[in-house]
Amino acid sequence: MDMHIALVPGDGIGPDIVREAVKVLDRTAEIYGHSIAYSEVDAGGVSIDRCGVPLTDEALKTAAASDAVLLGAVGGPKWDHVPGNLRPEKALLGLRSGLGLFCNLRPAVIYPELSEASPLKPSVISGGVDLLVVRELTGGIYFGEKGRGDDDRSAYDVMRYSAGEIERIARKAFEAARLRRNRVTVVDKANVLETSRLWRETVSRVAEDYSGVELDYMYVDNAAMQLVRNPGHFDVLLTENMFGDILSDEASMITGSIGMLASASLRDDSFGMYEPIHGSAPDIAGMDKANPIATILSAAMMLRYSFSLEKEARAIEEAVSSALSDGIRTRDIAGEGDMVVGTAACGDEIARRLS
Ligand code: NAD
Protein backbone atom coordinates (compact mmCIF):
# COMPACT_ATOMS: atom_id res chain seq x y z
CA MET A 1 0.00 0.00 0.00
CA ASP A 2 1.11 3.59 -0.70
CA MET A 3 0.56 5.87 2.27
CA HIS A 4 0.92 9.63 2.52
CA ILE A 5 1.34 10.77 6.10
CA ALA A 6 1.54 14.37 7.32
CA LEU A 7 3.93 14.70 10.26
CA VAL A 8 3.28 17.49 12.75
CA PRO A 9 6.13 17.21 15.27
CA GLY A 10 5.24 20.47 17.03
CA ASP A 11 7.14 21.66 20.09
CA GLY A 12 9.10 20.38 23.08
CA ILE A 13 9.53 16.61 22.91
CA GLY A 14 7.28 16.50 19.80
CA PRO A 15 10.17 16.12 17.31
CA ASP A 16 11.94 13.56 19.59
CA ILE A 17 8.94 11.23 19.78
CA VAL A 18 7.66 11.64 16.22
CA ARG A 19 11.14 10.68 14.96
CA GLU A 20 10.86 7.34 16.81
CA ALA A 21 7.36 6.67 15.51
CA VAL A 22 8.63 7.25 11.96
CA LYS A 23 11.46 4.80 12.63
CA VAL A 24 8.92 2.16 13.64
CA LEU A 25 6.55 2.97 10.76
CA ASP A 26 9.40 2.74 8.23
CA ARG A 27 10.53 -0.62 9.58
CA THR A 28 6.93 -1.90 9.49
CA ALA A 29 6.53 -0.72 5.89
CA GLU A 30 9.79 -2.45 4.97
CA ILE A 31 8.73 -5.77 6.52
CA TYR A 32 5.21 -5.77 5.08
CA GLY A 33 6.00 -4.26 1.67
CA HIS A 34 4.34 -0.84 1.92
CA SER A 35 5.62 2.57 0.94
CA ILE A 36 5.21 5.73 2.98
CA ALA A 37 5.65 9.32 1.81
CA TYR A 38 5.82 11.99 4.52
CA SER A 39 5.07 15.73 4.45
CA GLU A 40 6.24 17.78 7.40
CA VAL A 41 3.86 20.43 8.76
CA ASP A 42 4.58 23.19 11.28
CA ALA A 43 2.02 23.76 14.00
CA GLY A 44 2.04 25.25 17.49
CA GLY A 45 4.90 27.33 18.87
CA VAL A 46 7.22 26.47 16.02
CA SER A 47 4.69 27.93 13.58
CA ILE A 48 4.26 31.05 15.73
CA ASP A 49 8.03 31.56 15.55
CA ARG A 50 8.19 31.04 11.79
CA CYS A 51 4.90 32.47 10.57
CA GLY A 52 3.36 34.44 13.44
CA VAL A 53 0.33 32.14 13.84
CA PRO A 54 -0.09 28.67 15.41
CA LEU A 55 -1.45 27.15 12.20
CA THR A 56 -1.25 28.57 8.69
CA ASP A 57 -3.83 27.86 5.98
CA GLU A 58 -1.07 26.21 4.03
CA ALA A 59 -0.21 23.86 6.91
CA LEU A 60 -3.86 22.89 7.22
CA LYS A 61 -4.03 22.31 3.47
CA THR A 62 -0.99 20.03 3.55
CA ALA A 63 -2.46 18.06 6.45
CA ALA A 64 -5.81 17.79 4.65
CA ALA A 65 -4.14 16.55 1.47
CA SER A 66 -2.55 13.60 3.30
CA ASP A 67 -4.17 10.25 4.15
CA ALA A 68 -3.53 10.68 7.88
CA VAL A 69 -1.75 12.99 10.32
CA LEU A 70 0.70 12.03 13.06
CA LEU A 71 1.14 14.77 15.66
CA GLY A 72 3.65 15.09 18.52
CA ALA A 73 2.61 17.86 20.90
CA VAL A 74 2.42 21.63 20.95
CA GLY A 75 3.06 24.41 23.43
CA GLY A 76 5.59 25.41 26.03
CA PRO A 77 6.63 28.25 28.34
CA LYS A 78 8.29 30.13 25.48
CA TRP A 79 4.82 31.02 24.15
CA ASP A 80 3.09 31.63 27.49
CA HIS A 81 3.00 35.39 26.87
CA VAL A 82 1.25 35.24 23.47
CA PRO A 83 -2.40 36.36 23.38
CA GLY A 84 -5.14 33.72 23.79
CA ASN A 85 -6.21 33.42 20.16
CA LEU A 86 -2.58 32.92 19.06
CA ARG A 87 -1.63 30.31 21.64
CA PRO A 88 0.09 27.15 20.32
CA GLU A 89 -2.83 24.96 21.52
CA LYS A 90 -5.06 26.76 19.00
CA ALA A 91 -3.27 24.72 16.35
CA LEU A 92 -4.90 21.56 17.70
CA LEU A 93 -8.36 23.08 17.58
CA GLY A 94 -7.64 24.42 14.09
CA LEU A 95 -6.54 21.01 12.87
CA ARG A 96 -9.44 19.13 14.51
CA SER A 97 -12.13 21.47 13.21
CA GLY A 98 -10.41 22.19 9.87
CA LEU A 99 -10.12 18.47 9.19
CA GLY A 100 -13.71 17.74 10.33
CA LEU A 101 -12.74 15.23 13.03
CA PHE A 102 -15.73 14.25 15.18
CA CYS A 103 -14.76 10.97 16.79
CA ASN A 104 -12.08 10.66 19.44
CA LEU A 105 -10.62 7.27 20.36
CA ARG A 106 -8.63 6.91 23.56
CA PRO A 107 -7.41 3.44 24.47
CA ALA A 108 -6.43 2.75 28.09
CA VAL A 109 -4.33 -0.36 28.54
CA ILE A 110 -2.63 -1.57 31.70
CA TYR A 111 0.40 -3.58 30.66
CA PRO A 112 1.18 -6.37 33.17
CA GLU A 113 4.81 -5.15 33.31
CA LEU A 114 3.66 -1.65 34.32
CA SER A 115 0.79 -2.60 36.60
CA GLU A 116 2.58 -1.12 39.60
CA ALA A 117 2.14 2.34 38.06
CA SER A 118 -1.64 1.98 38.25
CA PRO A 119 -3.21 3.61 41.30
CA LEU A 120 -5.65 0.67 41.44
CA LYS A 121 -5.15 -2.38 43.66
CA PRO A 122 -3.61 -5.45 41.99
CA SER A 123 -6.80 -7.43 42.75
CA VAL A 124 -8.86 -4.91 40.70
CA ILE A 125 -6.67 -5.09 37.60
CA SER A 126 -5.46 -8.68 37.79
CA GLY A 127 -7.85 -9.73 35.00
CA GLY A 128 -6.23 -7.19 32.62
CA VAL A 129 -7.45 -3.79 31.46
CA ASP A 130 -7.75 -2.95 27.77
CA LEU A 131 -10.54 -0.52 26.99
CA LEU A 132 -11.29 2.10 24.35
CA VAL A 133 -13.20 5.30 25.05
CA VAL A 134 -15.04 6.56 21.94
CA ARG A 135 -16.01 10.19 22.50
CA GLU A 136 -18.15 12.44 20.31
CA LEU A 137 -16.13 15.62 19.71
CA THR A 138 -18.20 18.22 17.90
CA GLY A 139 -21.67 18.23 19.50
CA GLY A 140 -23.35 18.33 22.88
CA ILE A 141 -23.22 20.94 25.60
CA TYR A 142 -19.81 22.36 24.68
CA PHE A 143 -21.16 23.54 21.34
CA GLY A 144 -24.81 24.25 22.19
CA GLU A 145 -26.34 27.67 22.62
CA LYS A 146 -25.12 29.36 25.80
CA GLY A 147 -25.85 32.58 27.54
CA ARG A 148 -26.88 34.57 30.58
CA GLY A 149 -30.32 35.60 31.79
CA ASP A 150 -31.27 39.29 31.71
CA ASP A 151 -30.21 40.00 35.28
CA ASP A 152 -26.95 38.10 34.79
CA ARG A 153 -27.86 35.90 37.71
CA SER A 154 -28.72 32.86 35.63
CA ALA A 155 -26.92 31.07 32.82
CA TYR A 156 -27.56 28.20 30.46
CA ASP A 157 -25.73 25.78 28.17
CA VAL A 158 -27.83 23.76 25.77
CA MET A 159 -27.11 20.09 25.12
CA ARG A 160 -28.35 19.09 21.69
CA TYR A 161 -27.67 16.09 19.48
CA SER A 162 -29.11 14.98 16.16
CA ALA A 163 -29.71 11.33 15.34
CA GLY A 164 -27.25 11.75 12.45
CA GLU A 165 -24.45 12.87 14.77
CA ILE A 166 -25.10 9.91 17.05
CA GLU A 167 -25.36 7.41 14.24
CA ARG A 168 -22.03 8.31 12.62
CA ILE A 169 -20.08 7.91 15.85
CA ALA A 170 -21.99 4.77 16.83
CA ARG A 171 -20.81 3.19 13.57
CA LYS A 172 -17.21 4.08 14.45
CA ALA A 173 -17.64 2.46 17.87
CA PHE A 174 -19.12 -0.75 16.45
CA GLU A 175 -16.41 -0.97 13.81
CA ALA A 176 -13.76 -0.53 16.49
CA ALA A 177 -15.44 -3.19 18.64
CA ARG A 178 -15.28 -5.64 15.75
CA LEU A 179 -11.50 -5.28 15.78
CA ARG A 180 -11.47 -5.85 19.53
CA ARG A 181 -13.66 -7.93 21.86
CA ASN A 182 -17.05 -7.20 20.24
CA ARG A 183 -18.64 -5.28 23.06
CA VAL A 184 -19.97 -1.70 23.15
CA THR A 185 -21.17 0.01 26.34
CA VAL A 186 -23.12 3.22 25.78
CA VAL A 187 -22.56 5.60 28.67
CA ASP A 188 -25.30 8.17 29.24
CA LYS A 189 -27.78 9.61 31.72
CA ALA A 190 -30.95 8.29 30.11
CA ASN A 191 -32.85 8.44 33.41
CA VAL A 192 -32.82 12.25 33.22
CA LEU A 193 -31.57 13.50 29.83
CA GLU A 194 -33.64 13.48 26.65
CA THR A 195 -30.45 13.58 24.54
CA SER A 196 -29.38 10.36 26.27
CA ARG A 197 -32.69 8.73 25.36
CA LEU A 198 -32.08 9.68 21.71
CA TRP A 199 -28.57 8.20 22.02
CA ARG A 200 -30.04 4.90 23.25
CA GLU A 201 -32.69 4.73 20.51
CA THR A 202 -30.21 5.59 17.78
CA VAL A 203 -27.40 3.32 18.94
CA SER A 204 -29.74 0.36 19.38
CA ARG A 205 -30.92 0.86 15.78
CA VAL A 206 -27.34 1.05 14.48
CA ALA A 207 -26.50 -2.11 16.47
CA GLU A 208 -28.80 -4.12 14.17
CA ASP A 209 -26.19 -3.68 11.43
CA TYR A 210 -23.45 -5.14 13.62
CA SER A 211 -24.53 -8.64 14.57
CA GLY A 212 -22.02 -10.29 16.83
CA VAL A 213 -21.29 -7.08 18.73
CA GLU A 214 -22.84 -7.08 22.19
CA LEU A 215 -24.41 -3.77 23.29
CA ASP A 216 -25.14 -2.62 26.81
CA TYR A 217 -25.91 0.68 28.53
CA MET A 218 -24.62 2.27 31.69
CA TYR A 219 -25.39 5.52 33.49
CA VAL A 220 -22.42 7.85 33.57
CA ASP A 221 -22.24 7.98 37.37
CA ASN A 222 -22.06 4.20 37.49
CA ALA A 223 -19.49 4.13 34.67
CA ALA A 224 -17.26 6.52 36.63
CA MET A 225 -17.41 4.06 39.54
CA GLN A 226 -16.95 0.92 37.45
CA LEU A 227 -13.83 2.36 35.82
CA VAL A 228 -12.07 2.20 39.18
CA ARG A 229 -13.94 -0.81 40.59
CA ASN A 230 -13.99 -3.18 37.66
CA PRO A 231 -12.23 -1.63 34.61
CA GLY A 232 -11.83 -5.07 33.03
CA HIS A 233 -15.60 -5.00 32.39
CA PHE A 234 -15.20 -2.54 29.51
CA ASP A 235 -14.23 -3.10 25.91
CA VAL A 236 -15.54 -0.10 23.91
CA LEU A 237 -17.15 2.68 25.89
CA LEU A 238 -19.21 4.98 23.63
CA THR A 239 -20.30 8.36 24.89
CA GLU A 240 -21.14 12.01 24.15
CA ASN A 241 -18.72 14.90 24.31
CA MET A 242 -18.72 16.06 27.94
CA PHE A 243 -19.07 12.61 29.53
CA GLY A 244 -16.29 11.41 27.23
CA ASP A 245 -14.05 14.33 28.17
CA ILE A 246 -14.28 13.35 31.83
CA LEU A 247 -14.26 9.56 31.47
CA SER A 248 -11.35 9.47 29.00
CA ASP A 249 -9.18 11.32 31.53
CA GLU A 250 -10.31 9.00 34.30
CA ALA A 251 -9.56 5.96 32.13
CA SER A 252 -6.09 7.34 31.35
CA MET A 253 -5.29 7.88 34.98
CA ILE A 254 -5.97 4.27 35.94
CA THR A 255 -3.05 3.22 33.75
CA GLY A 256 -0.69 5.54 35.64
CA SER A 257 1.66 6.07 32.66
CA ILE A 258 1.16 9.26 30.68
CA GLY A 259 3.97 8.41 28.26
CA MET A 260 2.10 5.29 27.08
CA LEU A 261 -1.28 6.71 26.07
CA ALA A 262 -2.22 7.04 22.40
CA SER A 263 -5.24 8.64 20.75
CA ALA A 264 -6.97 9.08 17.42
CA SER A 265 -9.47 11.59 16.04
CA LEU A 266 -11.46 10.38 13.06
CA ARG A 267 -14.08 11.47 10.58
CA ASP A 268 -16.51 9.57 8.32
CA ASP A 269 -13.95 8.39 5.80
CA SER A 270 -10.66 6.73 6.66
CA PHE A 271 -8.82 9.99 7.40
CA GLY A 272 -7.62 10.51 10.96
CA MET A 273 -5.23 12.43 13.18
CA TYR A 274 -3.17 10.44 15.66
CA GLU A 275 -1.32 11.78 18.69
CA PRO A 276 -0.15 10.93 22.19
CA ILE A 277 -2.37 12.36 24.93
CA HIS A 278 0.51 13.94 26.82
CA GLY A 279 1.85 17.45 26.24
CA SER A 280 5.15 18.75 24.94
CA ALA A 281 7.03 18.06 28.22
CA PRO A 282 9.34 21.10 27.83
CA ASP A 283 11.26 19.99 30.95
CA ILE A 284 12.81 17.10 29.00
CA ALA A 285 12.67 18.36 25.39
CA GLY A 286 15.65 17.42 23.23
CA MET A 287 17.30 15.51 26.11
CA ASP A 288 16.66 11.97 24.82
CA LYS A 289 14.52 11.30 27.88
CA ALA A 290 10.98 11.28 26.50
CA ASN A 291 8.99 8.08 26.24
CA PRO A 292 8.11 7.62 22.54
CA ILE A 293 5.69 4.71 23.14
CA ALA A 294 2.46 6.78 23.20
CA THR A 295 3.39 8.16 19.76
CA ILE A 296 4.46 4.74 18.46
CA LEU A 297 1.13 3.29 19.62
CA SER A 298 -0.65 6.24 17.95
CA ALA A 299 1.11 5.24 14.72
CA ALA A 300 -0.20 1.69 15.23
CA MET A 301 -3.72 3.12 15.58
CA MET A 302 -3.15 5.00 12.33
CA LEU A 303 -2.34 1.77 10.49
CA ARG A 304 -5.46 0.14 11.98
CA TYR A 305 -8.05 2.89 11.53
CA SER A 306 -6.85 4.90 8.52
CA PHE A 307 -5.22 2.14 6.46
CA SER A 308 -7.05 -1.00 7.69
CA LEU A 309 -3.67 -2.65 8.28
CA GLU A 310 -4.65 -4.66 11.34
CA LYS A 311 -1.79 -7.15 11.10
CA GLU A 312 0.78 -4.38 10.93
CA ALA A 313 -0.88 -2.45 13.80
CA ARG A 314 -0.77 -5.57 15.98
CA ALA A 315 2.85 -6.18 15.04
CA ILE A 316 3.75 -2.75 16.43
CA GLU A 317 1.70 -3.31 19.59
CA GLU A 318 3.36 -6.70 20.10
CA ALA A 319 6.81 -5.19 19.58
CA VAL A 320 6.00 -2.64 22.31
CA SER A 321 4.82 -5.41 24.67
CA SER A 322 7.87 -7.47 23.90
CA ALA A 323 10.22 -4.54 24.62
CA LEU A 324 8.44 -3.95 27.93
CA SER A 325 8.67 -7.66 28.81
CA ASP A 326 12.40 -7.50 28.16
CA GLY A 327 12.75 -4.65 30.65
CA ILE A 328 13.17 -1.77 28.18
CA ARG A 329 12.07 1.35 30.06
CA THR A 330 12.34 5.08 29.56
CA ARG A 331 12.85 7.07 32.73
CA ASP A 332 9.14 7.87 33.30
CA ILE A 333 8.09 4.20 33.49
CA ALA A 334 11.20 2.76 35.13
CA GLY A 335 10.91 1.13 38.52
CA GLU A 336 13.67 0.56 41.00
CA GLY A 337 16.47 -1.52 39.51
CA ASP A 338 15.19 -1.20 35.91
CA MET A 339 17.65 -0.30 33.20
CA VAL A 340 16.72 3.08 31.71
CA VAL A 341 17.07 3.74 27.97
CA GLY A 342 16.76 7.02 26.09
CA THR A 343 14.11 7.99 23.54
CA ALA A 344 16.10 6.87 20.50
CA ALA A 345 17.19 3.56 22.05
CA CYS A 346 13.58 2.84 23.04
CA GLY A 347 12.51 3.40 19.40
CA ASP A 348 15.38 1.18 18.19
CA GLU A 349 14.44 -1.63 20.57
CA ILE A 350 10.81 -1.57 19.41
CA ALA A 351 11.74 -1.38 15.71
CA ARG A 352 14.16 -4.29 16.22
CA ARG A 353 11.41 -6.49 17.67
CA LEU A 354 9.02 -6.00 14.74
CA SER A 355 8.28 -9.09 12.72
P1 NAD B 1 2.95 17.39 29.82
O1 NAD B 1 2.11 16.21 29.46
O2 NAD B 1 3.74 18.00 28.74
O3 NAD B 1 3.96 17.00 31.01
C1 NAD B 1 3.52 16.58 32.29
C2 NAD B 1 4.65 15.75 32.94
O4 NAD B 1 4.72 14.48 32.28
C3 NAD B 1 6.03 16.39 32.78
O5 NAD B 1 6.80 16.11 33.93
C4 NAD B 1 6.64 15.68 31.60
O6 NAD B 1 8.05 15.60 31.62
C5 NAD B 1 6.00 14.29 31.70
N1 NAD B 1 5.81 13.68 30.38
C6 NAD B 1 4.84 13.99 29.47
N2 NAD B 1 5.00 13.25 28.37
C7 NAD B 1 6.07 12.46 28.58
C8 NAD B 1 6.74 11.48 27.81
N3 NAD B 1 6.33 11.13 26.57
N4 NAD B 1 7.82 10.87 28.33
C9 NAD B 1 8.25 11.17 29.56
N5 NAD B 1 7.67 12.09 30.36
C10 NAD B 1 6.60 12.73 29.86
O7 NAD B 1 1.93 18.46 30.47
P2 NAD B 1 2.21 19.96 30.94
O8 NAD B 1 3.54 20.04 31.57
O9 NAD B 1 1.00 20.35 31.66
O10 NAD B 1 2.23 20.80 29.58
C11 NAD B 1 3.42 21.19 28.89
C12 NAD B 1 3.02 21.91 27.61
O11 NAD B 1 2.31 20.99 26.77
C13 NAD B 1 2.08 23.08 27.85
O12 NAD B 1 2.45 24.11 26.97
C14 NAD B 1 0.73 22.53 27.48
O13 NAD B 1 -0.16 23.52 27.04
C15 NAD B 1 1.07 21.58 26.36
N6 NAD B 1 0.11 20.48 26.13
C16 NAD B 1 -0.04 20.08 24.84
C17 NAD B 1 -0.88 19.02 24.56
C18 NAD B 1 -0.96 18.56 23.13
O14 NAD B 1 -0.19 19.00 22.30
N7 NAD B 1 -1.86 17.66 22.81
C19 NAD B 1 -1.54 18.35 25.58
C20 NAD B 1 -1.34 18.77 26.89
C21 NAD B 1 -0.50 19.85 27.16
Side-chain angles (χ1 to χ4, degrees):
M1 179 183 284
D2 291 333
M3 299 177 248
H4 174 200
I5 298 174
L7 300 175
V8 188
D11 309 314
I13 59 170
D16 311 358
I17 53 182
V18 166
R19 195 178 304 124
E20 299 315 308
V22 167
K23 191 185 278 176
V24 170
L25 278 171
D26 283 345
R27 179 75 188 121
T28 308
E30 195 184 325
I31 294 171
Y32 289 88
H34 304 299
S35 93
I36 310 181
Y38 300 99
S39 306
E40 196 148 324
V41 175
D42 282 341
V46 69
S47 172
I48 295 174
D49 288 351
R50 287 184 190 152
C51 311
V53 288
L55 185 72
T56 61
D57 291 346
E58 207 193 338
L60 180 60
K61 240 186 241 159
T62 308
S66 69
D67 301 321
V69 177
L70 183 67
L71 185 137
V74 298
K78 184 175 171 198
W79 302 281
D80 275 351
H81 64 280
V82 302
N85 61 336
L86 283 181
R87 291 191 59 77
E89 296 77 12
K90 290 280 175 197
L92 299 176
L93 300 178
L95 282 164
R96 285 182 193 135
S97 67
L99 297 169
L101 308 170
F102 66 84
C103 170
N104 185 236
L105 304 188
R106 287 254 299 251
V109 180
I110 300 185
Y111 291 86
E113 297 82 5
L114 302 180
S115 61
E116 275 187 18
S118 170
L120 302 182
K121 280 191 210 149
S123 60
V124 173
I125 56 176
S126 58
V129 176
D130 179 357
L131 61 89
L132 178 71
V133 179
V134 178
R135 167 189 170 195
E136 205 287 328
L137 271 185
T138 59
I141 199 163
Y142 294 167
F143 294 94
E145 189 193 343
K146 52 189 84 250
R148 294 287 180 103
D150 287 342
D151 58 1
D152 221 19
R153 292 187 57 78
S154 67
Y156 58 92
D157 297 278
V158 175
M159 164 110 97
R160 183 185 289 276
Y161 268 107
S162 69
E165 285 173 309
I166 301 166
E167 179 170 340
R168 64 182 186 174
I169 191 154
R171 292 198 180 281
K172 291 284 180 193
F174 283 105
E175 279 156 24
R178 278 196 167 160
L179 297 170
R180 296 172 50 90
R181 302 193 305 280
N182 288 305
R183 174 148 190 207
V184 172
T185 302
V186 174
V187 173
D188 60 29
K189 194 71 184 167
N191 47 345
V192 285
L193 296 179
E194 199 54 42
T195 43
S196 289
R197 292 192 271 271
L198 182 66
W199 270 78
R200 285 200 181 195
E201 277 164 42
T202 311
V203 177
S204 68
R205 214 171 38 240
V206 172
E208 289 167 15
D209 296 341
Y210 297 88
S211 59
V213 180
E214 195 189 324
L215 173 64
D216 65 358
Y217 305 92
M218 195 180 276
Y219 294 143
V220 63
D221 41 349
N222 187 23
M225 283 195 291
Q226 296 307 325
L227 272 174
V228 291
R229 214 175 94 173
N230 183 19
H233 165 84
F234 296 105
D235 178 14
V236 173
L237 203 152
L238 166 63
T239 192
E240 64 89 42
N241 200 346
M242 181 169 61
F243 296 159
D245 190 5
I246 299 164
L247 293 181
S248 56
D249 272 5
E250 184 187 355
S252 301
M253 280 303 107
I254 66 174
T255 70
S257 318
I258 194 165
M260 303 285 300
L261 295 161
S263 79
S265 302
L266 310 176
R267 66 182 190 205
D268 264 339
D269 56 8
S270 60
F271 186 89
M273 184 162 94
Y274 301 82
E275 57 185 306
I277 73 150
H278 59 71
S280 62
D283 50 332
I284 53 169
M287 295 165 73
D288 196 40
K289 284 183 178 168
N291 185 348
I293 294 180
T295 317
I296 290 170
L297 292 173
S298 301
M301 290 184 83
M302 171 187 282
L303 296 184
R304 169 172 297 125
Y305 295 110
S306 281
F307 299 106
S308 297
L309 296 173
E310 180 63 26
K311 200 165 34 136
E312 290 80 344
R314 284 200 186 182
I316 294 177
E317 289 159 353
E318 277 159 22
V320 167
S321 292
S322 149
L324 291 173
S325 300
D326 294 344
I328 306 297
R329 302 277 189 279
T330 45
R331 198 185 54 142
D332 57 309
I333 53 170
E336 221 151 286
D338 280 336
M339 204 188 65
V340 174
V341 300
T343 310
C346 183
D348 286 342
E349 292 290 348
I350 292 166
R352 197 163 69 75
R353 284 170 174 76
L354 279 164
S355 57

